[in-house]
Amino acid sequence: MPNMSEKPWGGRFESPTDKFVEAFNASTDVDARMYAEDITGSKAHAAMLCAQGILSQEDHHSILRGLDEILGEIESGEFEFTIALEDVHMNIESRLTQKIGDAGKRLHTARSRNDQVATDTRLYLRSRTDTIIKRIRHLQSVLVSLAETHADTIMPGFTHLQTAQPVTLGHHLLAYVEMFERDAGRFADARTRMNQCPLGSAALAGTTFDINRFSTAESLGFDAPTGNSLDSVSDRDFIMELLAAASICAVHLSRFSEELILWMSAQFRFIDLPDAFCTGSSIMPQKKNPDMPELVRGKSGRIIGGLVAILVTMKGLPLAYNKDMQEDKTAIFDAFDNLEGCLRVFGDMLPGMKVNREIMHAAASSGFATATDLADALVRAGVPFRDAHEIVGKSVGHCIKAGIELHTMDEMACANIDARLSTDMVRALSVETCVAARDHIGGTAPNQVRKQAADWKKNLESHHE
Ligand code: ARG
């Protein structure tokens, strides 16, 4: 009979695991990164077992010493993870037993890998979520500073990617600050919901030992123990939520990327991104490509893919734990690594962005971006809005034919279109007046942008306190 004793679960087996299955089944390449959380979780569990009289003081001390040594071995790169031991949990436990003997074998009392993995993953993702929120906050402050600088930089605002009305660049950038605020909020909400401790749920039904779930929850920084053992070991909605939050944030970054790419094109020439964030072409010497926004736009695909993967993986699973769930980590780790990278690149790249104010201004001044304001002027002179719309529409038609702009129409041209249209009205049109006039909360006026940027600054600083 083969010796199956090196497997922690080998007791009832007669033949060894197929070699390919061993590799296929293993998750160490993905979950080894949770080693610190696995060790922290084990320490909390051991301390609780000891306090409850389930584990002796002596065993408890050996376990703590052994786990600390293992932590050192992993951090110095000495530790060898083996796929024969499947995952991070059994690799660490088996090394512990190698080191301290029977005490190591007692650690798994009143515990299962099912509540262990649920705990480790929550702990690991909790700190990764905190880092992502910090990165979002940093990107927001970069954008707020830029918005201040460009509170009165005028650019065309678009709908349907057609020139619509002039806006300020600062206003445009603050739009993303709002989106990222909601993103940070989604991560924070998900964090609150996932911050409950599954330890003690054991395999699925709880344990026969007199454990204290409140003490492990508290020592691991959870708000409370989870309320139902079956749910605790089979719930992966914290991963779904985090992936949903990550996907939405990635979509925001992707839309922003698309704009930067357009703005840097030879057709727009609104901005130039720093060389350090662009690359050239191996054949076309003139090229400077906005690779970073392109890549960030592309990353949204795999992050959304991770969300779809976890949703589909979980869809048909009966309670409680199923091995399918081992796939959960691949999706969320990949998404978090990439999202963190995207946020970092944007935070580092944007301060070096050069803005071509003249070209933006010229673009806002052509394409009849002031047409709505001319209609508003007519309305103020008593013309019903629908008539005003018609009059300005005709004026635009005239200007296109004559190759002029609205504000250069002469008396004759105005009178021919409508007696109510005056040269005073058209002369008064300027993109500066247009933006300055939208001076209310949420509007594009430089005044508002400065005010909002100042509010954001205070708001973002309060997160540092
Ligand atoms: N590596 C496993 C996972 O990530 C740990 C839990 C294994 N539990 C089990 N009953 N086989 O899901």
Side-chain angles (χ1 to χ4, degrees):
M1 208 164 75
N3 177 14
M4 291 295 286
S5 63
E6 83 272 15
K7 304 267 191 227
W9 40 254
R12 62 103 68 215
F13 283 76
E14 289 181 358
S15 349
T17 315
D18 177 275
K19 273 294 153 210
F20 179 71
V21 168
E22 199 160 71
F24 191 66
N25 185 46
S27 57
T28 43
D29 60 332
V30 177
D31 61 29
R33 58 158 94 187
M34 303 195 302
Y35 69 86
E37 288 75 16
D38 194 70
I39 288 173
T40 312
S42 287
K43 282 184 177 173
H45 180 65
M48 180 279 290
L49 291 179
C50 178
Q52 296 294 105
I54 304 166
L55 192 72
S56 72
Q57 295 269 5
E58 207 190 328
D59 284 349
H60 180 211
H61 286 137
S62 323
I63 289 172
L64 290 189
R65 181 176 43 82
L67 288 173
D68 279 335
E69 283 173 24
I70 292 171
L71 186 64
E73 288 171 11
I74 297 176
E75 291 189 333
S76 67
E78 278 165 58
F79 193 96
E80 273 190 39
F81 283 95
T82 151
I83 55 166
L85 290 165
E86 274 182 53
D87 51 29
V88 64
H89 324 292
M90 294 207 297
N91 269 272
I92 292 178
E93 189 191 318
S94 143
R95 178 80 182 117
L96 184 66
T97 301
Q98 240 177 39
K99 282 175 166 296
I100 65 169
D102 280 356
K105 295 190 200 163
R106 293 204 173 95
L107 172 62
H108 213 53
T109 312
R111 185 174 76 167
S112 152
R113 265 188 300 156
N114 296 347
D115 57 346
Q116 191 177 358
V117 73
T119 305
D120 293 3
T121 313
R122 285 168 194 241
L123 284 174
Y124 177 79
L125 291 176
R126 189 174 72 187
S127 77
R128 292 293 306 266
T129 299
D130 291 341
T131 308
I132 291 210
I133 293 175
K134 275 197 200 110
R135 288 249 176 242
I136 294 177
R137 298 276 175 232
H138 173 69
L139 177 53
Q140 283 181 302
S141 9
V142 166
L143 289 170
V144 169
S145 299
L146 278 171
E148 257 183 337
T149 311
H150 293 288
D152 34 29
T153 302
I154 294 176
M155 65 176 273
F158 300 94
T159 60
H160 313 265
L161 200 55
Q162 308 291 314
T163 303
Q165 290 171 356
V167 295
T168 48
L169 175 59
H171 189 55
H172 194 109
L173 296 171
L174 288 181
Y176 284 98
V177 176
E178 299 276 346
M179 291 177 237
F180 293 131
E181 181 67 16
R182 293 191 296 273
D183 288 330
R186 269 180 282 272
F187 279 111
D189 288 349
R191 186 201 195 282
T192 305
R193 261 187 298 280
M194 82 170 158
N195 202 31
Q196 297 195 338
C197 187
L199 267 189
S201 302
L204 76 165
T207 171
T208 56
F209 291 94
D210 176 27
I211 56 170
N212 181 349
R213 295 195 57 210
F214 288 92
S215 84
T216 38
E218 201 193 316
S219 68
L220 293 171
F222 287 106
D223 297 325
T226 50
N228 178 300
S229 63
L230 287 167
D231 177 49
S232 313
V233 293
S234 62
D235 154 41
R236 293 293 182 273
D237 33 293
F238 64 100
I239 295 182
M240 296 178 201
E241 274 197 83
L242 291 173
L243 276 164
S247 296
I248 297 171
C249 184
V251 166
H252 290 152
L253 285 163
S254 183
R255 296 182 72 177
F256 197 0
S257 297
E258 173 67 13
E259 297 195 315
L260 296 176
I261 294 161
L262 278 174
W263 293 355
M264 203 175 121
S265 69
Q267 287 66 31
F268 274 79
R269 292 194 299 133
F270 282 7
I271 59 159
D272 194 21
L273 293 173
D275 282 1
F277 296 82
C278 297
T279 68
S281 156
S282 51
I283 173 167
M284 296 166 284
Q286 86 284 11
K287 294 285 296 270
K288 177 173 164 186
N289 298 324
D291 292 57
M292 283 309 100
E294 291 174 77
L295 197 54
V296 168
R297 185 178 57 185
K299 295 283 190 193
S300 61
R302 68 196 283 178
I303 296 173
I304 295 164
L307 171 62
V308 175
I310 187 71
L311 289 171
V312 179
T313 298
M314 296 304 293
K315 187 182 84 71
L317 296 189
L319 301 187
Y321 180 82
N322 298 271
K323 186 69 170 219
D324 317 43
M325 288 153 70
Q326 180 164 286
E327 290 294 310
D328 60 356
K329 291 171 235 32
T330 320
I332 184 75
F333 292 176
D334 183 76
F336 267 28
D337 291 349
N338 281 291
L339 183 64
E340 218 181 288
C342 293
L343 291 164
R344 176 179 174 161
V345 162
F346 262 57
D348 291 351
M349 172 181 73
L350 289 172
M353 173 174 79
K354 282 205 194 81
V355 174
N356 203 333
R357 293 171 199 248
E358 290 71 35
I359 288 181
M360 276 191 175
H361 190 277
S365 309
S366 64
F368 307 103
T370 56
T372 315
D373 289 62
L374 180 54
D376 288 353
L378 284 159
V379 169
R380 280 192 191 94
V383 181
F385 182 75
R386 279 294 156 226
D387 292 351
H389 190 287
E390 171 80 15
I391 294 168
V392 179
K394 282 187 183 144
S395 307
V396 169
H398 166 81
C399 289
I400 292 172
K401 274 194 216 114
I404 57 171
E405 294 291 337
L406 286 170
H407 65 272
T408 55
M409 278 169 70
D410 61 18
E411 222 159 311
M412 259 263 283
C414 290
N416 277 343
I417 288 164
D418 196 288
R420 292 167 291 180
L421 185 66
S422 74
T423 46
D424 284 354
M425 287 175 186
V426 299
R427 295 282 173 274
L429 293 174
S430 81
V431 290
E432 283 75 13
T433 327
C434 284
V435 295
R438 286 162 172 81
D439 194 4
H440 53 75
I441 178 162
T444 200
N447 265 341
Q448 288 295 326
V449 173
R450 270 187 280 270
K451 215 164 113 245
Q452 296 206 3
D455 287 349
W456 274 117
K457 262 197 172 159
K458 258 189 254 143
N459 184 324
L460 290 167
E461 267 159 27
S462 73
H463 293 293
H464 292 300
E465 281 153 14

